[in-house]
Amino acid sequence: GTVVLAMRASVQRAAAEALGDQRGSVVVLDVATGGIVAMYSNPTFDPQPLAGHDTKAVADFFAALSADPAKPNLPRAFREIYPPGSTFKVVTTAVAFDTGTATPTSEYPVLSELDLPLTTNTLENFGGQTCGGTVFESFVQSCNTTFGAIGLQLGDRFPQGMARFGVGGDPPPLDVDPGAVASTGLAGTSFATDAPLFAFAGIGQGPVATTPLTMAMVAAAVANGG
């Protein structure tokens, strides 16, 4: 009787209603404590049939769940990883500032695409748009070429910076079993031989894949001052 949950049913219901029929997940954290207020994934399932006394009926229901291609029994919020995309520019910016690689007023060229070292490929802005300017201006515009360039500037300092946000290291602690899966970053890569990957990592693509829970923790780290 002394156990108090951080989760709130009303917020969980709001998350479910907001997602509706869309596939995805919602994670809501208490910034002050780190407690999980809501964590919802869709598609989902009713767990009641798994709590029955008819063992065959329970086994049949579990088998049907496991065979469903929509994977309703996969808690996507903490057991699946996805490219975080532009939300990861928060991490890239923080690592750049922490390492002294850039400041909010550092200038970057106005480009539509960024030439990548070791290859003839380029990194393009969304929709072929042209953007650049200061880090602040580039952040407001979510400018791929600037954050790709920052990823290249960071080089081998980038993986360690990501790890401080829980990307490319241990998974976040979670009081369920099985727990959260680890996110992937630039671990095992070298800037000398894999430089283009560092540019794509700067915009949350390439080798970077995170759980929604991890990106909620990134947002919380900004909100609580680090």
Side-chain angles (χ1 to χ4, degrees), residues 4-202:
V4 178
L5 300 182
M7 296 191 77
R8 288 172 50 192
S10 60
V11 183
Q12 186 82 348
R13 283 193 293 269
E17 290 169 6
L19 268 180
D21 294 331
Q22 300 176 96
R23 291 193 181 197
S25 63
V26 175
V27 179
V28 181
L29 300 181
D30 182 330
V31 172
T33 66
I36 295 172
V37 180
M39 188 158 60
Y40 180 78
S41 290
N42 191 56
T44 187
F45 67 98
D46 179 3
Q48 193 63 39
L50 294 172
H53 295 289
D54 183 336
T55 55
K56 183 179 185 305
V58 169
D60 289 347
F61 183 75
F62 181 78
L65 270 181
S66 302
D68 189 333
K71 298 182 179 180
N73 57 342
L74 175 67
R76 289 166 167 80
F78 63 95
R79 292 291 298 171
E80 186 64 281
I81 57 176
Y82 306 92
S86 290
T87 61
F88 201 73
K89 290 168 183 171
V90 173
V91 175
T92 305
T93 303
V95 177
F97 291 172
D98 285 348
T99 57
T101 303
T103 70
T105 57
S106 295
E107 291 275 351
Y108 288 84
V110 175
L111 302 169
S112 61
E113 57 184 359
L114 176 70
D115 290 332
L116 298 175
L118 308 178
T119 178
T120 57
N121 293 336
T122 62
L123 185 156
E124 298 181 355
N125 288 315
F126 179 75
Q129 295 175 344
T130 298
C131 57
T134 66
V135 172
F136 179 85
E137 291 167 338
S138 296
F139 192 91
V140 171
Q141 300 174 73
S142 190
C143 185
N144 287 347
T145 53
T146 292
F147 289 94
I150 292 174
L152 294 176
Q153 283 182 294
L154 285 169
D156 288 323
R157 292 172 294 179
F158 205 1
Q160 296 94 318
M162 286 184 194
R164 294 181 63 194
F165 282 93
V167 179
D170 295 332
L174 192 62
D175 297 330
V176 296
D177 186 18
V181 297
S183 299
T184 63
L186 287 164
T189 63
S190 166
F191 184 73
T193 56
D194 305 305
L197 295 181
F198 287 68
F200 281 100

